[in-house]
Amino acid sequence: MILRSLQSFCQRQLLPVFVLAFVCLPFIVVAAPSLPSEPSSLNGSASWLGMLISLFGGIALFLYGIELMSGALQTVAGKRLKGWLASVTRNRVMGALSGAAVTSVIQSSSVTTVLVVGFVSAGLMTMTQSIGVIMGANVGTTITAQIVAFKVSKAALFFIATGFGFWFFGRQEKIKAYGLVVMGLGLIFFGMEIMSDSMSPLRSYDPFLAFMRDMNSPVLGIFAGALFTAVIQSSSATTGIVIVMASQGFLNLEAGIALALGANIGTCVKVVLVSIGKSVEAKRAAMVHILFNVIGVIIWLPLIPLLAALSRMISPETVELDVISRMAVDSPRQIANANTLFNVINTLLFLPFAMYFGKLTCWLLPKKKVEQKEIVVAKYLDRELLNSPALALARVRLEVSHMGQIVVGMIEHFSRVVGNRNKAEIKEVSKIDDQVDVLQEKILRFLGRIRKTQLSENQTREFMQLMAAIDHIEHVGDGVSVGLAGTSKKFIKYNVLASPETRADFMHLLTEMEKAFVYALKAVSSEDQKAAQQVLVMADDIENAITTILNRLANKLVDEGNRPMVFRLEMAFCEQVRHIYSLSRRLAILTLPDSISPDT
C-alpha cells in the first residue's frame, strides 16, 4: 500500500520538486562564485551541494507526508465526503462549510472545484451554490499550515514509528488507515526538520540574509509565493515551507504573510490547467477561483500590517527572548493564523455577493453553442479525481446512473413507437443503444485507471459492484434494442397484428418492466436497499402479467387454430421482457449486503 502510494506521489509531486530544482539551478550557477567554498564559512555545515540535496529531500518528504496523510484520511472519511458536498443544496453558508471540510481532507482546492463542476453540469447545484463551496475550499487548505505550525518536529520519528506499527500490525482496514494518517503526519514533521536543519547554516550567510530582507517588499513576496506555488502545485506546501523558513528567523511576520498571499494566487494556475479543454461550467468555476483569490489579495495588499496585527492578537508571543529568537519562535504560528484569517475573512466578506460573482463569470465566459461531435459525453468522469479513489468511485456511480437514464429513455421511446408499426422509428432504439455502448466504454476505461490506484477493501468491493452494474445495464439496453426491437420488426415483416387486448397487455407488461428497471437503477445510483427490495417483490407482478398474455394466446390457439407464427412472436416478446426483468433483478441485488465480494 505504501509502495503504491509512493509511486503515485512520485508521479504527482516529485516531478514538481525536480522542476523546482531545475528552475533554481541557473541561479545557483550564477551565484556560485560568490558562495563560500569552505564548510567553515557556513558554521561547519556540509557543502552547498549537500545542503541543497538535504533541502530538496526534506521538501520531498514533506510533500509525501501530505500525500500519505490525505490519502489515508480519504479512506477513513470514505463516502462521508459525498454527504458533506450534498449539503450545499441548503444554503451558501453550508456550501462554504462543506467545501472547507472536503478540502481539509483531500488537501486540494482544485479537486474540490472539479467535484463542484460535475454537480453544476448535472444540475445538482446552481452556479451560486457552487461559489460558496469554492470559497470554503480555500479555508480548508489552511489546515496543513496549522498542523505544521505545531512545533513537534522532535517527535517526528515517534509519529512515523507509531503510524507504521498501526499500519503493519493492524488487522482492520480503518486501523491501518489511521496508522497511515499518523505516519504521514510524522513524515511532514520529519521533512520540516530536515529542511530546517539544511537551512540553519544560512543564518550566518550575509548575502542570503540580505536577499531575505528584500522579501519585506510585499509585491516581491507575493510574486515569489505565487511562482513557487505554480511550480510545486500546492499552496499548502508553500505555506508550510514558509513557516519552516520563519522558524529559522529568516522571515518576519509581514514577509511570511506576503508569501502566503502569493501562494493563494499561485494555486490558481493548477485550477486553470485543470479547466483547459473542459466545459464552460469548468472554466467558470476556475474563473470564480481566480477572481476570489486575486481580488482578496489585492484588497489585503495594503492591509498586510493590519492582518499581521490581528494575527499577533490571537497568537501567543514570547517576550523574554531577543528579537531574532522571538521571531523564530512566534512567527510560524502567527503566519499560520494570518493565512487562516485571510481566507476566513475573505470568505465571510465575499459570500453574500456569491450571486454577483456568478453573474460576473457568466458575463466574462458566455456559453457558446457548439456542435456536439460525440454521440454522448461522460458528465462526471474527470482524471483529476483519480488520486482520490473514494471520490472517483462516487463519480463513476453518478455516471452509471447517467448510463441507466439513457436506457430508461430507450425503453420509453420503444413503448411510444411499438404500436405504430413504424420500422424507422423502431430502428431509432438501436441508435440510442449506441450511446449506451460508448458510455460503457468510457466508464470502463475510467475504472481501469482507478484500479491502478490504491484501493481499500471497501473500495474494491464498490469497484466490483459498479463493474457488474455497468454490465447488467448494458445488457438491458441490448435486450431492448436487439430483443424487443428485433421481435417488433418481425411483427411488421410477417404482417402479424396482435389483438387490441394483447396490445394492451403488452403495454402493461412494458410499463411494469420499466418500473422494475427504474427501481433497480435507483438502488444502484443511491445505494437504496428499499428500492432493491421493491424490484424483488415485483417478480409476481411480472409473472402474472406474462401468464395473462400466455393464457390468452393459448385460448386463441385453440379457438382460431393456425396461429403458430403469432404464438412464437408473442412468446418471444414475453421472454424478452422476462429476461430484462431478470437483469433488473440482478442489478438490484448488487445493492444488498454481501452481494459482491472483493474476489468476485
Side-chain angles (χ1 to χ4, degrees):
M1 186 175 183
I2 293 178
L3 290 177
R4 293 179 67 182
S5 179
L6 181 59
Q7 181 185 28
S8 172
F9 164 73
C10 290
Q11 294 170 350
R12 294 178 57 207
Q13 299 287 13
L14 267 185
L15 183 59
V17 172
F18 290 128
V19 170
L20 180 65
F22 181 78
V23 170
C24 293
L25 189 60
F27 298 101
I28 296 171
V29 172
V30 171
S34 64
L35 295 179
S37 57
E38 296 298 324
S40 58
S41 303
L42 289 174
N43 295 335
S45 70
S47 66
W48 280 92
L49 179 61
M51 187 180 68
L52 289 172
I53 290 173
S54 296
L55 175 62
F56 287 114
I59 293 174
L61 279 175
F62 180 85
L63 292 174
Y64 179 57
I66 293 176
E67 173 84 6
L68 194 63
M69 184 177 71
S70 175
L73 282 171
Q74 289 177 52
T75 300
V76 173
K79 297 177 182 179
R80 278 177 285 180
L81 294 173
K82 295 187 294 180
W84 291 340
L85 277 182
S87 64
V88 300
T89 56
R90 300 177 193 173
N91 54 59
R92 285 176 238 170
V93 176
M94 286 304 301
L97 292 174
S98 299
V102 172
T103 309
S104 66
V105 173
I106 61 180
Q107 279 301 297
S108 175
S109 56
S110 60
V111 170
T112 304
T113 302
V114 168
L115 291 170
V116 167
V117 168
F119 285 125
V120 173
S121 301
L124 299 177
M125 72 170 72
T126 64
M127 189 67 188
T128 302
Q129 290 169 331
S130 72
I131 292 170
V133 182
I134 293 170
M135 291 178 177
N138 277 33
V139 177
T141 59
T142 66
I143 190 69
T144 301
Q146 292 292 343
I147 292 173
V148 168
F150 288 105
K151 299 173 184 177
V152 290
S153 299
K154 299 302 179 183
L157 292 177
F158 172 77
F159 278 98
I160 294 172
T162 303
F164 179 81
F166 277 106
W167 172 78
F168 189 79
F169 295 106
R171 292 291 175 263
Q172 296 180 9
E173 182 182 352
K174 188 164 284 190
I175 297 297
K176 287 178 173 288
Y178 281 125
L180 290 178
V181 170
V182 176
M183 188 175 173
L185 198 60
L187 286 171
I188 290 174
F189 293 133
F190 190 52
M192 284 173 54
E193 187 172 13
I194 292 176
M195 284 189 285
S196 181
D197 289 344
S198 69
M199 289 188 294
S200 60
L202 294 173
R203 283 183 170 185
S204 58
Y205 186 52
D206 292 335
F208 179 79
L209 295 176
F211 173 76
M212 294 311 298
R213 280 194 294 272
D214 290 339
M215 282 295 160
N216 288 328
S217 166
V219 175
L220 181 60
I222 289 172
F223 177 77
L227 179 63
F228 189 88
T229 304
V231 173
I232 212 167
Q233 295 187 12
S234 173
S235 60
S236 299
T238 299
T239 310
I241 292 169
V242 167
I243 289 173
V244 172
M245 295 177 69
S247 69
Q248 288 295 322
F250 296 142
L251 293 171
N252 61 25
L253 177 55
E254 286 76 8
I257 289 174
L259 287 165
L261 294 185
N264 282 273
I265 293 179
T267 193
C268 295
V269 173
K270 184 175 182 180
V271 178
V272 171
L273 293 175
V274 168
S275 68
I276 292 175
K278 300 292 176 60
S279 65
V280 68
E281 286 86 0
K283 292 181 173 64
R284 286 174 178 173
M287 179 63 72
V288 168
H289 198 272
I290 294 169
L291 289 173
F292 175 64
N293 285 8
V294 172
I295 293 174
V297 170
I298 291 173
I299 290 174
W300 283 100
L301 179 59
L303 301 175
I304 287 178
L306 175 60
L307 186 58
L310 289 173
S311 179
R312 288 190 180 99
M313 285 175 59
I314 64 172
S315 307
E317 286 192 282
T318 310
V319 294
E320 64 273 10
L321 300 176
D322 61 81
V323 176
I324 297 297
S325 300
R326 189 193 316 162
M327 187 169 67
V329 172
D330 295 341
S331 290
R333 170 57 56 196
Q334 292 170 352
I335 292 173
N337 288 342
N339 187 44
T340 301
L341 279 172
F342 165 77
N343 284 289
V344 170
I345 293 174
N346 275 358
T347 299
L348 294 175
L349 184 65
F350 292 140
L351 202 55
F353 303 100
M355 180 176 64
Y356 299 103
F357 266 88
K359 289 181 178 180
L360 179 59
T361 54
C362 290
W363 179 74
L364 292 172
L365 295 171
K367 185 173 285 189
K368 298 178 181 179
K369 291 184 178 179
V370 294
E371 185 179 348
Q372 191 68 36
K373 295 181 180 179
E374 295 182 279
I375 63 172
V376 65
V377 176
K379 290 183 178 180
Y380 304 99
L381 308 182
D382 199 299
R383 292 186 180 185
E384 186 68 18
L385 301 177
L386 287 172
N387 292 294
S388 303
L391 300 176
L393 289 170
R395 301 309 286 275
V396 170
R397 193 174 292 278
L398 288 172
E399 201 63 61
V400 169
S401 177
H402 176 210
M403 178 181 171
Q405 289 300 328
I406 296 175
V407 175
V408 172
M410 187 191 311
I411 297 171
E412 291 175 346
H413 180 81
F414 177 78
S415 298
R416 285 195 303 270
V417 304
V418 67
N420 64 14
R421 299 173 65 79
N422 187 324
K423 221 171 188 179
E425 287 286 345
I426 294 175
K427 282 183 179 179
E428 287 295 319
V429 176
S430 298
K431 292 183 180 179
I432 301 176
D433 189 47
D434 290 341
Q435 297 180 27
V436 177
D437 294 338
V438 169
L439 201 53
Q440 180 196 29
E441 182 179 353
K442 291 183 177 184
I443 297 173
L444 288 175
R445 285 181 179 176
F446 192 76
L447 281 172
R449 295 188 181 101
I450 293 177
R451 187 64 174 174
K452 294 177 183 178
T453 64
Q454 179 180 308
L455 296 179
S456 67
E457 184 179 339
N458 289 334
Q459 288 166 352
T460 301
R461 186 178 293 106
E462 183 176 7
F463 177 93
M464 299 304 296
Q465 182 197 70
L466 292 171
M467 285 278 289
I470 294 165
D471 184 60
H472 294 333
I473 292 172
E474 194 274 335
H475 278 92
V476 171
D478 288 344
V480 178
S481 66
V482 178
L484 291 176
T487 304
S488 297
K489 290 175 187 176
K490 289 181 181 178
F491 270 93
I492 298 171
K493 178 181 178 180
Y494 296 112
N495 197 28
V496 173
L497 183 62
S499 67
E501 295 86 358
T502 302
R503 287 202 299 272
D505 288 340
F506 280 159
M507 293 307 297
H508 172 68
L509 189 57
L510 286 174
T511 301
E512 292 298 305
M513 179 195 77
E514 180 184 353
K515 190 187 299 183
F517 179 71
V518 169
Y519 274 126
L521 189 60
K522 181 182 178 183
V524 170
S525 61
S526 304
E527 298 179 271
D528 188 340
Q529 293 187 17
K530 290 183 179 179
Q533 294 291 349
Q534 191 67 35
V535 178
L536 302 187
V537 300
M538 286 185 69
D540 291 339
D541 297 335
I542 298 288
E543 285 302 321
N544 289 338
I546 291 175
T547 301
T548 299
I549 294 173
L550 295 182
N551 286 336
R552 181 175 284 114
L553 287 175
N555 292 333
K556 287 185 177 182
L557 190 63
V558 172
D559 296 339
E560 299 176 18
N562 197 27
R563 289 177 55 88
M565 177 60 71
V566 178
F567 186 79
R568 284 201 300 270
L569 292 178
E570 295 184 351
M571 277 288 293
F573 196 94
C574 291
E575 284 302 317
Q576 290 296 335
V577 171
R578 181 182 278 137
H579 173 64
I580 291 172
Y581 168 74
S582 175
L583 290 168
S584 300
R585 180 186 173 91
R586 291 181 208 170
L587 183 63
I589 289 174
L590 292 175
T591 311
L592 300 178
D594 302 323
S595 58
I596 289 289
S597 67
D599 300 324
T600 301

